[in-house]
Amino acid sequence: MSEVVSFDDHNLTRSANKGRSGPQQPDVFFNRNELSQILQVYGRMVAKAEWRDYAIGETKNACIFAIFHRTADRPLFKIYKEPRLAAKQGAYSVLSQNGRTLKRGKTLAQVLKVFDRKRFHTIDAE
């Protein structure tokens, strides 16, 4: 059976649990500039009717921007931000639907070039 907890008690419990562990890693999110770059590419592909939905999620070490053709489908692409890999392989990566890494780099602009206009274009049936 579920227990009903007030918001005040829930927030106190969460903050108490966070204080117990060792050194805390800051939460990973896309900043405004990064989201602007991603949404610019996303908007272009929505205008071409290639993409129709997106979702933003997070894990302990990464933030993910998932792109869908239909809401019920698996994501076509996932754009990852993993700061712990910044010095090694680059903090940003784009993964395909089957999990293959398409592009990895130190800057988001470099990684988003995988969605360049020349590579992804619609084909008109005549």
Side-chain angles (χ1 to χ4, degrees):
M1 194 83 194
S2 298
E3 179 183 349
V4 177
V5 180
S6 73
F7 285 123
D8 295 332
D9 294 339
H10 177 68
N11 287 335
L12 290 174
T13 305
R14 285 185 64 190
S15 62
N17 287 339
K18 283 186 176 183
R20 290 182 191 158
S21 62
Q24 285 288 324
Q25 292 181 350
D27 292 335
V28 179
F29 294 109
F30 291 109
N31 63 32
R32 182 179 294 213
N33 186 26
E34 293 165 342
L35 273 177
S36 175
Q37 291 176 32
I38 294 170
L39 290 174
Q40 186 176 12
V41 172
Y42 176 78
R44 191 174 72 233
M45 297 304 280
V46 167
K48 292 181 180 181
E50 295 288 323
W51 300 343
R52 292 197 176 97
D53 200 9
Y54 71 90
I56 300 175
E58 65 174 316
T59 63
K60 188 183 289 186
N61 300 320
C63 185
I64 306 154
F65 188 95
I67 300 164
F68 298 87
H69 181 66
R70 289 188 196 92
T71 306
D73 291 344
R74 291 177 50 191
L76 294 174
F77 302 100
K78 293 179 186 176
I79 302 170
Y80 276 83
K81 177 182 180 181
E82 297 178 90
R84 65 186 175 93
L85 297 176
K88 297 178 184 176
Q89 303 168 340
Y92 303 98
S93 61
V94 174
L95 276 68
S96 66
Q97 187 172 17
N98 59 4
R100 184 188 291 166
T101 303
L102 299 176
K103 186 101 171 162
R104 182 176 287 281
K106 296 187 184 290
T107 65
L108 183 60
Q110 175 187 9
V111 170
L112 291 178
K113 286 182 183 178
V114 76
F115 300 117
D116 196 7
R117 290 184 181 121
K118 298 171 194 162
R119 298 180 124 196
F120 287 91
H121 55 83
T122 56
I123 299 171
D124 295 327
E126 293 180 20

